[in-house]
Amino acid sequence: MNDGIEQRSAPRVEVVTIGTEILLGDIVDSNSAFVARALADAGIDVFAKHSVGDNVERIEAMLRGVLDRADGAVTTGGLGPTVDDLTREAVARVLGVDLVLHEDSLRKIERLFAAHGLSMSENNARQAYLPRGAEPLENPHGTAPGFLAFRADGKLIAATPGVPREMRAMVTQRLIPALSARYDLQSAIFTRTLHLVGINESEADRRIDDLFRSLENPKIAMLAHDGYVNVKIMAKARDRGSAEEMIAPIEQDVRARIGSWVFGVDDVSLPSAILSDLIDRNSSIVTAESITGGGIADAFVHVPGASQAFRGGVVAYDNVLKISLLDVPVDELREHGAVSEAVAHSMANGARERMGSDFALATTGIAGPTGGSPEKPVGLVWFALALPDGKIVTRRSVFPGDRDFVRRRAVVTALELLWRNLDVGRQLAISAAGNQSLREPLG
Amino acid sequence: MNDGIEQRSAPRVEVVTIGTEILLGDIVDSNSAFVARALADAGIDVFAKHSVGDNVERIEAMLRGVLDRADGAVTTGGLGPTVDDLTREAVARVLGVDLVLHEDSLRKIERLFAAHGLSMSENNARQAYLPRGAEPLENPHGTAPGFLAFRADGKLIAATPGVPREMRAMVTQRLIPALSARYDLQSAIFTRTLHLVGINESEADRRIDDLFRSLENPKIAMLAHDGYVNVKIMAKARDRGSAEEMIAPIEQDVRARIGSWVFGVDDVSLPSAILSDLIDRNSSIVTAESITGGGIADAFVHVPGASQAFRGGVVAYDNVLKISLLDVPVDELREHGAVSEAVAHSMANGARERMGSDFALATTGIAGPTGGSPEKPVGLVWFALALPDGKIVTRRSVFPGDRDFVRRRAVVTALELLWRNLDVGRQLAISAAGNQSLREPLG
């Protein structure tokens, strides 16, 4: 709503999450990260985040403190129908106003209850009361409206719900447009994220270390998680077009150093990158999982449209199933044990043939905490990938960590083995076209 | 270290996480939840949590603000070797002291580098500098020590690392013992958590609502997540024994109202409860997954020792595999479609027979975003469970939400169907022994 008021420069805000459950760690707070990122991307600097319990005095004191330091507070939580939902009241105290009924919001809540054949309790009407003078922010996914209010000195408080789905929609669809109308958000932060796999953080760091130090805008950040490395290039610019012009040469420089580990940009995940590639070439993939126990299949099925390339798989946790469903020879299991290159090889081969697929990806390993030996320690995993020509590529890894860590890393490493060899497949094709020397598949 | 100083009553503290990546949402902060819970459990009240970027002035201002309101600050992050690690410097400013080299810590860092055959850089020595007068807290899993320091007015600042594994070990093994020695932590909070499945939050709330309102110590909290409901009973007591005496009658009361949905207490998960039960009766389980795509198998394999009851499964995402690996009749697929009671039934039956298991659990559904129709909307899932006697129980659900939501709920609902029928199995056995009437399996 741009009502002719002169636009002011972008506010500097702090984020406050409200709720005893978040404060005491009963739930991990993912809201404040979302809000901070969304505001930063819109060009609003976030200087601090806070969390406070369901106590009206403490919420009030927290908000007063924030408005002392910053231009505004953005809150999540405490807007529901229960007696523990105290954000409206605390904000009214900070603004020095009373709470008044917002008729439109009340009618929306009544309609939602009626649509579900329920009668509305008195408690639910509480959600329609807002601090006097506040502008309601509609809740696209729930009953409780949020609001945007200003103190007499011009400092702002924006209140959004604690339910992540409701909060996210409200922040992006209602709050940021409302702030854009009132403030001159001259420049926003535009980001391009390169996703890497198969390189560790310190090696990536070594290769682009000087860029971290020398660049200001765009600047670079790196984050490692679960076997992946993300390199973010962030440009502060007036619009996407100029941001892209600023980002392009930096991206080129980064890719020249670590491009061979980049599997995608921005919202791409490794399973989605693999599936797109397979769908493009009309190829299919199946899995034969022991240690990863369905984790690779699950990562594929997570991607919408996975069925165009992912056919399914076998979780052959028990050796009997390795034999009956994947044709692993009994003698091989006896001679080499289930966790061996030979058995991984046979699992991939059997899966590809039994399920009639182009590629097949197999894992077998020791997740722990028990079952390790000096020759085969906890964390040992054998991977095998059957290629469309029937050749099998294998790889051995030992992951240092607990059961959960070993299994998560095994999933990522299996995917990387597949991706790396898809890539080799592409390079084979390109090389063949250019009559260059061929590279072997990488184990 | 109890050095004869008179013990003071438990401090009220605030938690401060330091790091631009956490502030801007590049990583989700799980540290502050852990610290808050660990302190609360040790009897130290946590009144607020904050997050601030890597900026020495802002960290200093934040800590000064905390010490104005509370008895102390506990920080995580900013103790590493880089120029962005500014916690030591900010704390020294707040305390009005300089940084001095802590020789023991320096030698430990040198030893760790030598053990890995590396020479130590100048930067790494920075980690051994602590605010003058601070007591170092050893880092069991890394190089950077933490510390515990007191301002002239007796207010405390405790600094711990940002790497979760290092922070967790330091908080539980070093910080809390150090605080226990200096403060009279008269009472700690002891918790018993009842885990429920198959009941929604509002129904659980309705049944124990009066306990929420009436109880003070022990008190009750409820949390719903991903189809589960947790009911926590929290007692503030001097020791575990008296806490347990306080908790027992409340637990009995709660169980009288909602006990039939309780599958376990404290650290038990639904897959682990199911596996324990199966192992006890020497029974086995296999899976036949379409929509859940390996998610159920993965949930089982997540549990250490799963192989004693979980044999494996098939991810039959493509219909061809439903036929070839699970013996689903082609006519059935043609007549009813893959997402149907008949096909779920055949998948469970085929999995049980082909894999030679006591129980078999099958899922087929439409995860979306596309593929729905008026008769079979996105979110529709059919479940089937084959029982040891060959009987099949089926269930139909429609989950309102996105692909990820539908698939996560489908995993939990499948597990609940199995658990509920294990329970019926037990009741059948008990009833038969007591010559009471038998109940049918629950679909």
Side-chain angles (χ1 to χ4, degrees), chain A residues 49-51 298 301 407, chain B residues 49-51 298 301 403 407:
Chain A
K49 291 189 312 196
H50 315 272
S51 182
D298 195 48
V301 176
R407 294 185 63 241
Chain B
K49 292 189 311 199
H50 314 271
S51 183
D298 195 48
V301 175
R403 183 177 181 87
R407 294 185 63 242

Side-chain angles (χ1 to χ4, degrees), chain B residues 101-121:
Chain B
L101 181 66
H102 185 254
E103 294 284 353
D104 285 355
S105 296
L106 181 66
R107 277 190 293 273
K108 189 193 158 191
I109 297 170
E110 286 169 344
R111 270 201 311 277
L112 281 170
F113 271 81
H116 288 83
L118 301 165
S119 65
M120 198 184 76
S121 69

Side-chain angles (χ1 to χ4, degrees), chain A residues 228 263 268-279 285 295-304 306 309-310 411-412 415-416 418-419 422:
Chain A
Y228 296 106
F263 64 82
V268 168
S269 69
L270 185 53
S272 70
I274 289 169
L275 289 170
S276 297
D277 192 299
L278 290 171
I279 293 167
I285 173 81
I296 300 172
D298 195 48
F300 282 134
V301 176
H302 184 78
V303 181
F310 176 66
V411 169
V412 176
L415 293 172
E416 192 232 329
L418 172 55
W419 170 73
L422 291 177

